Amino acid sequence: MCYMPCSVAMTLSSSDFVIPSPAFLRAWTLESKRPGRLLRTNLQQLKEYKLGRKTEICLEPLQKEENLGPHDVVLRTQMRIPGKRAYAPHVDLVWDTACGWTAGSLRQHIAHFCSLPVEKIEIAKYFPEKFEWLPVSSWNQQITKRKKKKKQDNLQGAPYYLKDGDTVGIKNLLVEDDEDFSTIRDDLGKETQKQLALGKQKSQETLCVQSSDVFSGVKTPARPRAPEASLSIHVGSFR
């Protein structure tokens, strides 16, 4: 992948890249050094996306033509390697959400894509900023303590917030039936985050102690005493 400032990308000529047609490129906004929003330039002019002046565009070359529809979502799928806490290289999957963003629909589409029975796969969305995998279950109802409430099965909402470019791990239950989706890299990432958090906490505690010492070392000036007043005593006669 390559990226460049939006203002530069809009002025590039066709000679800068040797590509058969724009259908062999994907354009993404760059957010926190990762591809963020997928720009479907064949359906909408770039100016209609209302991008900021400092927005960066990431151009992804493709091996074959791609013409995404308004309901298509691009996901990075990774098959779990049996017996190892690792995944095979990602394979892009285009999911048509015209019939809804349901967990059941996604599971069915991935099962067909992998040529596996839908009941023999487990899938999970990856949150790289947390180094966590969240299993995607096929649920339709949620029972609360107050009342029975039908909850919309929409992967765009909490807790998945599924969108273009997200990574989805796939586990083949025919060869592996444990519930763990994590990798060794995730363990290392979480440990690093933990150490950074502890270091930040200790730094703040040290700063508080130093601030306390500074204030405790400053003596409060004594309040000046008022001048003594003369006192006259008169003894009266009681005879």
Side-chain angles (χ1 to χ4, degrees):
M1 282 190 186
C2 57
Y3 66 91
M4 57 207 71
C6 180
S7 57
V8 175
M10 294 176 66
T11 60
L12 288 175
S13 64
S14 59
S15 61
D16 291 294
F17 288 99
V18 181
I19 55 172
S21 73
F24 283 83
L25 282 177
R26 284 195 196 123
W28 305 78
T29 60
L30 200 66
E31 302 172 5
S32 301
K33 298 183 180 181
R34 293 193 183 99
R37 184 181 176 191
L38 180 59
L39 307 179
R40 290 171 169 80
T41 51
N42 59 326
L43 300 174
Q44 197 172 3
Q45 291 188 2
L46 196 58
K47 64 180 182 180
E48 296 178 16
Y49 284 98
K50 299 179 180 179
L51 302 177
R53 293 179 61 87
K54 295 184 179 180
T55 301
E56 292 180 319
I57 300 297
C58 175
L59 298 178
E60 179 185 5
L62 304 174
Q63 297 296 322
K64 59 181 180 179
E65 285 187 283
E66 180 178 83
N67 293 294
L68 298 175
H71 300 290
D72 289 336
V73 179
V74 178
L75 300 174
R76 317 286 195 186
T77 63
Q78 289 188 283
M79 181 66 73
R80 180 92 167 180
I81 300 175
K84 296 183 179 180
R85 298 183 62 202
Y87 291 85
H90 82 264
V91 178
D92 288 349
L93 170 70
V94 177
W95 174 37
D96 184 0
T97 62
C99 296
W101 287 71
T102 66
S105 174
L106 177 59
R107 288 171 57 85
Q108 186 69 46
H109 190 68
I110 290 179
H112 178 74
F113 180 73
C114 298
S115 301
L116 290 170
V118 67
E119 68 274 8
K120 293 300 180 180
I121 65 166
E122 287 294 342
I123 60 176
K125 179 192 167 177
Y126 187 52
F127 291 86
E129 67 280 0
K130 298 180 180 179
F131 299 96
E132 291 181 353
W133 297 82
L134 181 61
V136 179
S137 57
S138 184
W139 40 259
N140 293 314
Q141 290 186 341
Q142 174 180 322
I143 300 177
T144 63
K145 293 182 179 180
R146 296 181 180 179
K147 61 180 180 179
K148 291 184 178 180
K149 178 182 178 182
K150 186 175 181 180
K151 187 174 182 179
Q152 186 180 11
D153 184 359
N154 190 335
L155 297 180
Q156 283 182 298
Y160 299 104
Y161 301 106
L162 197 66
K163 64 184 185 305
D164 287 309
D166 280 347
T167 296
V168 176
I170 307 169
K171 186 174 292 188
N172 182 356
L173 299 182
L174 293 174
V175 294
E176 187 176 27
D177 58 358
D178 67 282
E179 299 179 354
D180 182 29
F181 277 90
S182 66
T183 64
I184 297 175
R185 179 177 176 273
D186 297 329
D187 294 342
L188 296 175
K190 286 186 176 182
E191 183 62 27
T192 300
Q193 288 184 335
K194 182 180 178 180
Q195 294 300 325
L196 289 174
L198 288 174
K200 185 177 180 181
Q201 182 180 357
K202 290 181 179 179
S203 177
Q204 291 176 342
E205 291 175 351
T206 302
L207 183 61
C208 290
V209 170
Q210 291 176 347
S211 299
S212 177
D213 292 341
V214 169
F215 284 111
S216 63
V218 178
K219 295 183 178 180
T220 304
R223 186 175 179 180
R225 298 178 60 182
E228 296 182 358
S230 60
L231 181 64
S232 299
I233 301 176
H234 298 276
V235 179
S237 177
F238 293 95
R239 294 182 180 180

